[in-house]
Amino acid sequence: MAIQEKTETERVLAARERYVARGVATVPLVVARAEGARVWDVDGRSYVDFAGGLGCQNTGHGFPPALAAIHEQADRYLHQCFMVGVYEPYVEVCRRLAELWPGGEGDYRSLLVNSGAEAVENAVKIARAATGRPAAVVFDQAFHGRTLLTLAMTGNVKYKHGFGPYPPAVHRVPAPYPYRGVTSDDAIAALERLFHGDAPPDEIACVVLEPVQGEGGFVVMPSDFPPRLKELCERHGILYVDDEVQSGCGRTGPVWAIEHYGVEPDLLVSGKSIGGGLPLAGVTGSAEVMDAVAPGGLGGTFGGNPVACAAACAVLDELASPAFRARADELGRRIRARLDEIAGRCPRIGEVRGLGPMLAVEFLEQSADMARATTAAARERGLVLLSCGTYGNVVRILVPLTISDADLEEGLGILEESLVDAGAAAPD
Ligand SMILES: Cc1ncc(COP(=O)(O)O)c(C=O)c1O
């Protein structure tokens, strides 16, 4: 009997099982190459990519201007450590972040780090230094990272289980979640209760909010909530930290999702797509707030790596271009129209929601089964797709915003077939 040869995918997955920690959750996809909104596996199968490396490829895999900048920078030097030798790419990213600030003219400064979690941690440090207050307020469904402070701020036991106790002075209140019956009024009332219950406002340094909660289920903040929250913050001298790690960098159309709300945050946290696929994240705010920290209080060995910064300059220039924004808006309209149509044929879908092209469907049942079955079926059919949500019952779209019409149509077709495979079309 012929011996069955292992596929390349099986070979790598076997080694993965043997050598990689179990706690890093993976799927049976082994990538060989990626370009634009397409990924190829090690056995030569092609996939449409609706995940974008978990929201890190808004300008597409191998965005040519970022690649060119990476090559040029790699030939000059790979690393210096900004604290050892200042280099211009770091300064240039900070200049662009100041110019792209979602508010009035002013003197804005940034810190660059390696990951979204590190950036959120630093935002809280800066808020504490600027206000002299200890506490942070976060929201239900929040995801701010996997370090101990950011896990304390994250609201999902899937990530938290077994890692406590967590740092103190993190208070959680409900976020608006209209589909599940939580309104802006409910969330504001909970905050007011917090101020009279566990945390007087003069002990609160900052609130931290994602305009569209990412891992929490693509829960879009209602239009009145960020402005009301900002007003409350101003009244009590609390800083408003806008976590744009997932919703930013053009994901919802404008460079920052908070631009949809006309709210000027005190600190803005960026990450994921900013580095065009290289690890980079940042904290931006007014000079007054940022410079509350004395020299030496911020930094890190690799934070703001020159190659990542070179890529980020190319990415930020692209995000700021009207053409990128126009295409993102168009993709948002097209994907939403198609999801609405699909939802009309799939009674198990409870809601289609999102902001611009940051879109998702939530199933009626608060169980992960259907979303898991949908993403698995999608992979079988040639689409990389992710779920999210506190209950894992949301399927989200983080497609590179450079996707061609043909790839988009193919991906949406596979998405619909996969939803049907998973039973979403079955009567409610
Ligand atoms: C809103 C938000 N904040 C922070 C983070 C943490 O970013 P990182 O995984 O780069 O540490 C994430 C990651 O998904 C995120 O979605």
Side-chain angles (χ1 to χ4, degrees):
M1 200 169 70
I3 296 170
Q4 189 81 37
E5 288 288 325
K6 270 193 174 171
T7 64
E8 281 297 287
T9 297
E10 286 166 344
R11 184 184 64 73
V12 178
L13 289 180
R16 178 259 174 271
E17 283 298 306
R18 168 67 183 80
Y19 295 112
V20 181
R22 191 173 69 111
V24 187
T26 52
V27 296
L29 166 68
V30 182
V31 177
R33 191 164 77 78
E35 192 180 327
R38 284 231 165 233
V39 167
W40 288 264
D41 74 12
V42 284
D43 291 302
R45 251 196 105 194
S46 167
Y47 300 77
V48 178
D49 184 7
F50 273 15
L54 231 175
C56 298
Q57 298 291 351
N58 290 352
T59 52
H61 292 283
F63 176 52
L67 268 192
I70 287 167
H71 286 301
E72 200 187 320
Q73 183 57 44
D75 287 341
R76 288 173 199 267
Y77 54 90
L78 296 176
H79 170 68
Q80 289 297 324
C81 183
F82 198 66
M83 298 173 295
V84 172
V86 167
Y87 45 86
E88 199 167 2
Y90 189 119
V91 181
E92 278 300 300
V93 172
C94 297
R95 180 170 71 78
R96 284 166 172 78
L97 287 170
E99 287 169 2
L100 293 170
W101 177 256
E105 297 262 308
D107 187 3
Y108 300 106
R109 299 187 181 176
S110 294
L111 157 75
L112 302 181
V113 291
N114 303 289
S115 70
E118 197 186 346
V120 171
E121 290 242 10
N122 276 284
V124 175
K125 278 166 58 185
I126 294 164
R128 283 179 172 176
T131 59
R133 303 173 178 185
V137 172
V138 295
F139 294 86
D140 285 349
Q141 294 95 236
F143 184 91
H144 298 296
R146 293 170 181 269
T147 58
L148 271 179
L149 174 63
T150 57
L151 264 187
M153 300 167 69
T154 287
N156 189 332
V157 290
K158 176 175 135 191
Y159 307 108
K160 301 177 78 147
H161 188 69
F163 297 134
Y166 292 104
V170 174
H171 303 282
R172 187 177 310 284
V173 291
Y177 194 160
Y179 175 60
R180 296 288 174 188
V182 186
T183 64
S184 295
D185 285 349
D186 296 334
I188 294 287
L191 256 172
E192 302 274 13
R193 267 198 312 281
L194 176 77
F195 292 167
H196 291 92
D198 285 331
D202 63 2
E203 288 181 10
I204 298 173
C206 59
V207 301
V208 187
L209 178 66
E210 304 154 78
V212 182
Q213 295 180 309
E215 300 306 302
F218 279 33
V219 181
V220 184
M221 292 302 106
S223 59
D224 67 326
F225 187 65
R228 290 173 70 184
L229 182 62
K230 170 76 180 177
E231 193 275 319
L232 209 63
C233 285
E234 277 177 351
R235 195 156 12 112
H236 295 291
I238 298 168
L239 299 185
Y240 185 121
V241 180
D242 174 32
D243 183 345
E244 294 270 0
V245 171
Q246 193 156 161
S247 61
C249 292
R251 185 73 250 160
T252 70
V255 179
W256 310 117
I258 198 74
E259 294 175 49
H260 288 283
Y261 297 90
V263 164
E264 184 170 353
D266 295 296
L267 288 168
L268 184 150
V269 181
S270 51
K272 287 197 185 279
S273 275
I274 195 172
L278 293 183
L280 189 71
V283 185
T284 306
S286 68
E288 191 193 346
V289 173
M290 293 296 291
D291 290 348
V293 181
L298 304 175
T301 305
F302 279 114
N305 168 268
V307 185
C309 285
C313 287
V315 166
L316 288 169
D317 290 347
E318 175 69 5
L319 299 179
S321 76
F324 185 88
R325 166 82 193 258
R327 177 66 176 159
D329 288 343
E330 187 200 341
L331 286 171
R333 283 190 296 276
R334 285 173 62 163
I335 299 169
R336 183 184 280 270
R338 188 65 187 279
L339 292 179
D340 283 338
E341 239 177 75
I342 293 172
R345 292 189 284 275
C346 291
R348 307 291 285 277
I349 293 177
E351 186 176 55
V352 174
R353 62 168 175 263
L355 198 55
M358 185 171 183
L359 287 158
V361 298
E362 175 165 352
F363 297 114
L364 293 171
E365 289 89 347
Q366 289 185 314
S367 138
D369 294 347
M370 195 165 281
R372 205 180 288 129
T374 305
T375 56
R379 195 163 48 248
E380 285 297 309
R381 290 177 173 276
L383 174 69
V384 186
L385 188 65
L386 296 172
S387 61
C388 60
T390 304
Y391 296 89
N393 65 332
V394 178
V395 169
R396 60 176 149 173
I397 297 179
L398 283 168
V399 64
L401 299 169
T402 52
I403 192 169
S404 68
D405 289 347
D407 283 349
L408 180 67
E409 284 314 308
E410 184 181 334
L412 290 169
I414 297 175
L415 173 61
E416 176 162 11
E417 289 161 1
S418 307
L419 284 162
V420 172
D421 289 348
D428 181 9

